[in-house]
């Protein structure tokens, strides 16, 4: 299959949390299985400073109302998986991904509403006609909506899957503050009061909803664990599944990990004692084998 993997962060490129781990490891694993995978992410300031990547193709323009959003597409790679980065400096040339270290950016909803659509325009620009468009967390939750309203025919055969890594973060923002979405009058009927909930939109418009474990999927389908979205999840119950997050053993295998003081494996655990002592020393604890 051809898989467009839309995500806001990728480990080894930029990372704030576990989402980036999946953003790197899952596309690599899918490619190893024989699939054609392209990642689309924002071209953050950190990427520009590290790579200074050239434009991959001609500049693209998205229009929303009377405003034109012109952006470039940069090409990177992660272990031979193509990464296309949306370069729109007004939104992404900033110190942090989502915050300035103290506060979330006031226009995060605007930034990622634009990115959710720009990811699709990127696929069109490079001719990547995906079978599957895999979206991740609230930052990309509007992508299935944009697929649904696209009238070019480019995504006619594409299916969307929305993976929820942490359903507590839903991207709820006052709709009137999201300039990019103002021409989308059909969204007015889908607001919570005066706010748009991005995760709710992902649940409503994606073909399938996935959680990062079977147990978490069951939590999301319960009144207590659904983060106040029980009715939405319950309505799509037959389309909700959970697939347990994997582990990249090429990176996290203590038998080969060069970042620990001694290697060990199941047949010889001696090195684990040295790692424990090294940890105790580094954090200022007593070096005592008998203490946890």
């Amino acid at each position: 299959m051809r898989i467009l993997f839309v995500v806001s962060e990728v480990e080894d490129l930029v990372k704030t949390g576990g989402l980036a781990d999946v953003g790197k490891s899952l596309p690599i694993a899918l490619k190893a299985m024989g699939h054609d995978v392209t990642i689309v992410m924002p071209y953050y300031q950190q990427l520009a400073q590290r790579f200074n990547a050239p434009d991959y193709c001609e500049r693209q323009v998205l229009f929303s109302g009377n405003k034109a959003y012109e952006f470039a597409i940069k090409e990177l790679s992660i272990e031979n998986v193509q990464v296309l980065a949306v370069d729109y400096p007004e939104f992404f040339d900033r110190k942090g991904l989502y915050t300035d270290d103290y506060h979330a950016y006031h226009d995060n909803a605007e930034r990622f509403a634009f990115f959710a659509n720009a990811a699709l325009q990127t696929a069109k620009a490079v001719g990547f006609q995906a079978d599957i468009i895999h979206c991740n967390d609230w930052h990309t939750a509007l992508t299935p909506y944009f697929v649904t309203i696209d009238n070019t025919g480019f995504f006619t055969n594409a299916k969307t899957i929305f993976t929820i890594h942490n359903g507590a973060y839903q991207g709820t923002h006052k709709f009137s503050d999201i300039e990019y979405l103002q021409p989308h009058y059909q969204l007015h009927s889908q607001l919570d009061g005066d706010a748009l909930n991005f995760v709710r939109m992902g649940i409503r418009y994606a073909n399938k909803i996935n959680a990062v474990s079977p147990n978490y999927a069951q939590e999301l389908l319960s009144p207590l664990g659904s983060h106040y979205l029980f009715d939405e999840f319950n309505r799509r119950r037959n389309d909700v599944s959970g697939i347990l997050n994997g582990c990249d053993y090429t990176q996290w295998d203590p038998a080969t990990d060069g970042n620990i003081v001694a290697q060990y494996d199941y047949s010889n655990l001696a090195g684990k004692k040295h790692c424990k002592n090294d940890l105790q020393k580094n954090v200022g604890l007593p070096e005592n084998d008998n203490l946890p």
Side-chain angles (χ1 to χ4, degrees):
M1 294 186 295
R2 306 189 84 195
I3 302 169
L4 188 71
F5 197 89
V6 188
V7 68
S8 63
E9 55 186 85
V10 177
E11 190 192 13
D12 289 348
L13 297 178
V14 289
K15 176 179 180 178
T16 66
L19 174 62
D21 295 325
V22 180
K24 171 191 172 184
S25 297
L26 183 53
I28 291 172
L30 290 169
K31 183 167 184 177
M33 296 170 65
H35 301 297
D36 184 5
V37 186
T38 288
I39 300 170
V40 181
M41 66 180 297
Y43 192 61
Y44 298 109
Q45 182 183 98
Q46 296 95 317
L47 291 180
Q49 291 173 342
R50 286 179 59 195
F51 300 102
N52 192 25
D55 289 359
Y56 180 64
C57 60
E58 63 182 15
R59 297 179 68 84
Q60 301 295 304
V61 181
L62 287 173
F63 294 95
S64 182
N66 295 323
K67 184 172 180 179
Y69 297 75
E70 182 177 345
F71 64 96
I73 299 170
K74 308 291 188 177
E75 185 187 34
L76 307 164
S77 67
I78 187 83
E79 296 191 23
N80 295 319
V81 175
Q82 183 185 51
V83 179
L84 299 177
V86 172
D87 181 18
Y88 188 68
E90 181 179 337
F91 287 160
F92 302 123
D93 186 14
R94 304 180 184 187
K95 178 181 177 181
L97 274 61
Y98 317 120
T99 74
D100 60 6
D101 289 340
Y102 298 99
H103 305 286
Y105 293 125
H106 73 279
D107 59 349
N108 273 343
E110 170 88 348
R111 298 169 71 217
F112 289 101
F114 160 78
F115 172 66
N117 198 13
L120 298 178
Q121 185 62 31
T122 298
K124 292 179 185 177
V126 302
F128 190 86
Q129 204 153 22
D131 301 300
I132 302 293
I133 300 172
H134 190 165
C135 311
N136 295 270
D137 269 354
W138 75 265
H139 322 87
T140 61
L142 289 182
T143 298
Y145 162 73
F146 285 117
V147 170
T148 301
I149 66 170
D150 182 84
N151 59 10
T152 66
F154 190 83
F155 301 106
T156 299
N157 297 319
K159 300 297 182 183
T160 55
I161 180 167
F162 176 47
T163 291
I164 299 172
H165 300 259
N166 189 338
Y169 296 95
Q170 299 178 4
T172 302
H173 301 271
K174 191 174 179 180
F175 184 74
S176 60
D177 291 339
I178 312 174
E179 182 182 358
Y180 189 78
L181 295 179
Q182 292 311 296
H184 295 256
Y185 303 110
Q186 62 269 40
L187 295 180
H188 284 279
S189 63
Q190 305 202 44
L191 303 183
D192 297 325
D194 62 354
L196 183 70
N197 183 310
F198 281 42
V199 167
R200 173 178 273 119
M201 295 291 290
I203 296 168
R204 287 180 175 176
Y205 283 92
N207 294 111
K208 297 290 181 181
I209 301 101
N210 177 54
V212 292
S213 76
N215 283 345
Y216 191 41
Q218 290 305 308
E219 286 183 31
L220 294 173
L221 288 168
S222 70
L224 184 62
S226 60
H227 307 289
Y228 303 102
L229 292 176
F230 174 70
D231 289 341
E232 300 293 339
F233 283 115
N234 193 48
R235 193 174 296 116
R236 298 294 308 278
R237 177 174 291 271
N238 292 335
D239 294 317
V240 177
S241 63
I243 300 174
L244 187 63
N245 265 357
C247 180
D248 183 353
Y249 292 108
T250 64
Q251 182 175 4
W252 296 107
D253 184 353
T256 58
D257 192 345
N259 293 313
I260 54 179
V261 70
Q263 282 70 49
Y264 60 93
D265 61 22
Y266 68 92
S267 64
N268 183 355
L269 293 173
K272 190 171 185 180
K273 171 184 174 181
H274 298 299
C275 291
K276 176 178 176 177
N277 291 342
D278 183 63
L279 174 63
Q280 291 172 326
K281 178 180 178 181
N282 279 316
V283 299
L285 295 170
E287 293 179 50
N288 187 330
D289 294 342
N290 297 316
L291 288 176

